[in-house]
Amino acid sequence: MGRLTTHVLDTMSGSPAAGLKIDLWRLSGEDVHLKSVTTNSDGRVDGPILEGDEFRVGNYELRFHAGDYLRNSGSKLPDPAFLDIVPIRFGIADAGSHYHVPLLLSPYGYSTYRGS
């Protein structure tokens, strides 16, 4: 059965991004908020964000609350911050696969990829 996972690395500090809130949305004409999770001390979420019958083919968005995390971690940010909520839209084409969507984050940039 397929599943969705993520992790977040703070590239400025060189450590996992602990305590970062993430919202998951299903995008289907009328967007539906599926759940909110928070990263643990390893920058990961405890278990898959989506799995089982909820894991379906379709378009999704993870919204990483980067600005709150960066402020709470002691980063000196301008007001307003350059990055606040980082949205990553992606598609799930195979409900039997593992989709891993990591985020590499700093106060002025980010990158992502489909991991394993």
Side-chain angles (χ1 to χ4, degrees):
M1 227 189 277
R3 67 191 188 284
L4 172 65
T5 58
T6 189
H7 75 276
V8 185
L9 298 175
D10 181 333
T11 59
M12 188 172 96
S13 69
S15 61
L20 190 146
K21 180 182 174 186
I22 305 165
D23 295 319
L24 174 64
W25 292 77
R26 180 176 289 120
L27 309 177
S28 57
E30 187 173 319
D31 299 347
V32 177
H33 178 254
L34 298 177
K35 69 171 55 173
S36 295
V37 294
T38 302
T39 57
N40 61 24
S41 62
D42 194 33
R44 298 180 184 276
V45 174
D46 295 328
I49 299 173
L50 199 60
E51 65 182 335
D53 293 338
E54 293 180 323
F55 190 81
R56 297 183 277 211
V57 169
N59 294 306
Y60 294 84
E61 182 173 275
L62 287 168
R63 296 179 187 170
F64 295 85
H65 292 253
D68 290 342
Y69 162 78
L70 292 165
R71 277 187 286 282
N72 292 335
S73 68
S75 293
K76 301 284 188 215
L77 302 177
D79 187 22
F82 180 69
L83 293 177
D84 187 18
I85 296 176
V86 174
I88 299 177
R89 289 188 173 197
F90 59 97
I92 293 175
D94 178 1
S97 291
H98 178 196
Y99 284 75
H100 184 66
V101 183
L103 180 69
L104 305 175
L105 176 66
S106 80
Y108 295 97
Y110 65 90
S111 65
T112 190
Y113 55 94
R114 181 175 175 188
S116 58

